[in-house]
Each structure stands twice: as C-alpha cells, then as structure tokens.
Amino acid sequence: MYSLTVRDHIMIAHSFRGEIFGLAQRVHGATYLIDATFQRTELDADGLVVDIGLANDTLRAVLAEFNFRNLDDEPAFAGRNTTTEFMARVVFDRLAAAIRDGRLGEGGRGLERLKVTLHESHIAWASYEGAL
C-alpha cells in the first residue's frame, strides 16, 4: 500500500464536560498539528498517490473551518466534547467528502483509505482511519 501524508495545523479554543477532564472543563486553547495520510494500492498513471498540491490545499480548506474558532460556539458540535479523537473523525469525514466531490482531481478517485492524525502535543495524538 502506497501512502502520501500532508501536514497543517489549527489553533482552536474549547472546553469539555465531565469530571474526567479536570481543569480542561474550563475554556482552553489548543494547537493541533494535523497529518492526513492518503493511501492506495497502486500508483496512478503519473506515479503518484495523489497530487500533493491538491492534497495540501484541500486539507488547508477543511481546517480553515475550525482555525481560530471556539468550538464550543459551533452549532455542529453542540453538546459534544470536541476531544482530539472526536476532531480526528470530523476532519476525516470532511476530507472524505472533499475526495468524493473530486477536489483532489482524477488521482483522488483511486484513493482507497485515509488516516487523519491530530497531534495535541509532542507526546500525545489521536487518529481516525477508514476506507474511502
């Protein structure tokens, strides 16, 4: 399986509900480093997994929806804890939709799997991976 990973980051604010989160129940900021790994069994006719420029642009566009936002104020997340794990799935779903919409060009149509990893620090991260 071939893979290509692009990376970007976002800065957000949010809070969590539940004693398990301790001080993180208060509004706090986070800077997530995000890796999106695109996978396919065979390379396309150009010898690529996917166009790296389109992959970068698409990841940046998806993340722009959250950058410099308080996720507690976003109606789509009402009543949810926007944990690192939860946000990995959100970014996965939005990137998968962009791929289905053709935003990664013809090369994107041959992608088989996607993995999104959100790094919340140099020692902790969460991922969501699935078929496309």
Side-chain angles (χ1 to χ4, degrees):
M1 181 73 75
Y2 293 96
S3 65
L4 175 106
T5 300
V6 294
R7 175 174 278 180
D8 208 331
H9 74 283
I10 56 174
M11 298 190 317
I12 57 96
H14 62 171
S15 62
F16 298 134
R17 291 174 293 121
E19 292 298 318
I20 193 170
F21 295 104
L23 293 176
Q25 293 177 85
R26 299 178 186 158
V27 176
H28 60 280
T31 299
Y32 289 120
L33 185 68
I34 296 104
D35 291 328
T37 300
F38 304 89
Q39 299 177 322
R40 63 189 302 159
T41 304
E42 298 298 331
L43 299 177
D44 70 8
D46 296 313
L48 301 172
V49 172
V50 70
D51 181 310
I52 194 168
L54 290 175
N56 269 322
D57 293 346
T58 303
L59 177 61
R60 184 171 299 117
V62 165
L63 297 179
E65 300 174 39
F66 313 117
N67 204 16
F68 293 103
R69 302 270 172 91
N70 183 340
L71 300 181
D72 295 346
D73 296 337
E74 297 297 315
F77 304 141
R80 302 296 306 256
N81 282 326
T82 53
T83 60
T84 304
E85 298 91 325
F86 176 83
M87 290 306 296
R89 176 65 187 264
V90 168
V91 174
F92 174 94
D93 287 344
R94 294 186 185 199
L95 273 176
I99 292 166
R100 284 192 299 275
D101 291 344
R103 291 170 53 189
L104 292 183
E106 274 307 307
R109 299 193 191 288
L111 293 171
E112 299 168 40
R113 297 190 65 80
L114 173 65
K115 179 178 180 181
V116 173
T117 301
L118 270 68
H119 302 260
E120 62 177 66
S121 75
H122 66 289
I123 59 170
W125 55 89
S127 301
Y128 186 84
E129 179 176 358
L132 295 170

